[in-house]
Amino acid sequence: MTMADKGYQLASAALGELATERIKSGHLYNGDIGLARWRSALAKALNGDVLSTICVFGSSSVVGQGAGGGGEAGQLTYGKNKLEKSFVGRLRSEIAKQAGDVGSGIIPHWYTWWYSFSGSWLDSGVGGMMNIPSKRGEAVGATCTVTFTGTSFSWIGIESAEGGKFTMSIDGATPQEFNTLGSSEAVKEYKWAGTLSNGPHTAVITVTELVAGKDRSGVALIGVMYGGPSATGVRVHQIGYAGGKTDQIATNRAIYKPTTMDFWKPNLSIICFSSNDYSGQTALATFRTQTQTAITQAKQFGDVLLVPVGITAPDKAIPITEYSKIYKELALLNDCAFYDTYARYRDSFTFAKDTLKFVASDSTHMNDYGHQDLASALYNAIMHG
């Protein structure tokens, strides 16, 4: 290779780096292009005209599982606070200060600390979300109890030929009846009719009727939502499952796709996988294909922000930063935004854990400090980026 050839290669590399830097703002890449539609939806929401939607897809890092109570030591259990204490919950709270409190996003049935079941409730092949089956009440008299603080309440379930009827009663009021029987499978919102004071409430859902002659008739539950005092603003859905990997959002199985993404039609999808793909050493080609599938699905409705989440000790053959690089590549190829979380931590687990104090004692999950830091970073990226 001649010196001229080497000089050309160096010049090309420098130009490529310059081009990348031109679309970088801090640790956010491609924000101007990748978040353009989201900025429009946000402007309408802040103007009080619409309710815009953010869906955050991920694993236990999204849910907040494993986070210690603000320090390096201890593995405190958040319980119900996971809806508020994870970085998604903290992001929701910060947005609410500016855009208004619209209440919770979806609270999936696998957030077991929110639900109390009695009677026969089983995993069902009818409907599901994130590759997790719906939970179906399959006996008359079976109940599901949820306590919440808000101004409205909804049951997100599946209408199907194997459905049934249920009643909903809040704070002991006269039960309202709903019917989940339908000709085909469809996700539906069954909403309590009437307003509630912005205070604590208890909702009791009771299965009242099944379909005669159907072996597995029942009332299928995906999750619940409660509303806040604002009718317009930004609703943030925390859609995560412990152990989840990219294949959970990229699945082509028809019974999971509608509830995972299509039902919400998110103005912004924040895709936050990588740590479990790293732990399981998902082949990089597979990770790339599955992430591309998820991007394609999400861009039908709005913008996409790719955010690698999970601060894990580097002990595998494929470094976790390789998965992050694929996010960055796909963001640039698909006009998406990419937030370089690991660069924020200098691509160093030791720096994140020992210097910043962002890692819980299991050396896998973020603690309170880490969740707050990531919430602040994402808030700045999507609200001001």
Side-chain angles (χ1 to χ4, degrees):
M1 180 182 294
T2 67
M3 290 299 294
D5 290 333
K6 290 181 179 179
Y8 175 77
Q9 284 192 346
L10 288 171
S12 296
L15 287 172
E17 183 65 23
L18 177 61
T20 300
E21 291 300 316
R22 287 181 64 185
I23 57 172
K24 179 183 177 184
S25 175
H27 296 300
L28 177 67
Y29 288 80
N30 223 24
D32 283 345
I33 294 174
L35 298 177
R37 286 195 292 172
W38 161 247
R39 290 200 302 274
S40 174
L42 176 62
K44 295 171 184 175
L46 293 176
N47 200 50
D49 297 330
V50 300
L51 180 62
S52 294
T53 300
I54 297 175
C55 285
V56 186
F57 301 99
S59 61
S60 56
S61 294
V62 165
V63 178
Q65 180 171 322
E72 308 96 309
Q75 279 301 114
L76 303 183
T77 302
Y78 276 153
K80 278 192 176 182
N81 285 333
K82 289 183 179 180
L83 195 67
E84 287 83 31
K85 288 289 189 179
S86 72
F87 76 83
V88 184
R90 294 167 191 253
L91 175 64
R92 180 190 297 116
S93 297
E94 286 303 308
I95 292 175
K97 293 176 184 177
Q98 184 173 354
D101 178 10
V102 298
S104 74
I106 181 73
I107 308 172
H109 70 75
W110 56 82
Y111 289 13
T112 52
W113 50 88
W114 277 87
Y115 298 90
S116 177
F117 295 99
S118 69
S120 179
W121 292 86
L122 303 172
D123 287 347
S124 170
V126 176
M129 183 168 69
M130 292 282 287
N131 274 2
I132 311 301
S134 63
K135 195 173 186 71
R136 189 160 58 176
E138 298 186 346
V140 171
T143 64
C144 172
T145 303
V146 183
T147 58
F148 65 98
T149 298
T151 59
S152 65
F153 183 80
S154 296
W155 169 282
I156 309 299
I158 304 292
E159 181 183 81
S160 75
E162 297 177 1
K165 292 182 180 180
F166 70 93
T167 59
M168 185 187 301
S169 177
I170 297 183
D171 301 332
T174 301
Q176 298 176 8
E177 186 174 67
F178 301 87
N179 190 351
T180 71
L181 185 64
S183 57
S184 61
E185 291 182 17
V187 187
K188 288 193 67 175
E189 179 180 7
Y190 303 90
K191 188 173 183 178
W192 173 261
T195 58
L196 301 170
S197 62
N198 191 25
H201 303 284
T202 299
V204 179
I205 289 83
T206 305
V207 179
T208 57
E209 186 177 323
L210 302 177
V211 180
K214 292 282 188 180
D215 292 337
R216 294 295 305 279
S217 177
V219 175
L221 166 68
I222 298 296
V224 301
M225 293 191 301
Y226 61 84
S230 297
T232 61
V234 180
R235 174 165 283 157
V236 181
H237 295 290
Q238 179 175 302
I239 304 177
Y241 185 77
K245 298 191 291 186
T246 304
D247 62 353
Q248 283 197 314
I249 188 176
T251 179
N252 289 316
R253 297 178 65 182
I255 65 170
Y256 297 120
K257 281 178 61 178
T259 320
T260 299
M261 189 175 293
D262 297 10
F263 178 68
W264 311 111
K265 296 178 172 54
N267 302 101
L268 176 62
S269 293
I270 305 179
I271 299 176
C272 297
F273 295 94
S274 70
S275 58
N276 287 313
D277 288 279
Y278 161 73
S279 297
Q281 292 286 275
T282 300
L284 294 178
T286 302
F287 183 77
R288 180 181 285 104
T289 298
Q290 290 173 164
T291 302
Q292 179 62 68
T293 299
I295 290 171
T296 301
Q297 292 175 5
K299 283 179 72 70
Q300 298 176 78
F301 311 110
D303 283 333
V304 175
L305 173 60
L306 300 174
V307 184
V309 170
I311 311 174
T312 306
D315 59 358
K316 306 289 184 184
I318 305 173
I320 196 168
T321 49
E322 291 301 306
Y323 297 94
S324 181
K325 288 178 182 177
I326 289 174
Y327 268 10
K328 181 178 178 181
E329 293 168 7
L330 291 178
L332 301 181
L333 286 171
N334 290 274
D335 288 339
C336 300
F338 165 69
Y339 192 88
D340 196 346
T341 318
Y342 300 140
R344 185 177 178 87
Y345 310 138
R346 298 187 183 176
D347 290 328
S348 170
F349 173 80
T350 301
F351 182 73
K353 181 176 175 63
D354 297 335
T355 302
L356 299 179
K357 311 297 186 184
F358 285 169
V359 183
S361 61
D362 63 357
S363 291
T364 299
H365 294 88
M366 294 177 290
N367 59 20
D368 276 351
Y369 300 150
H371 278 283
Q372 183 57 59
D373 179 72
L374 185 54
S376 298
L378 294 182
Y379 177 83
N380 288 330
I382 67 176
M383 300 297 284
H384 305 302

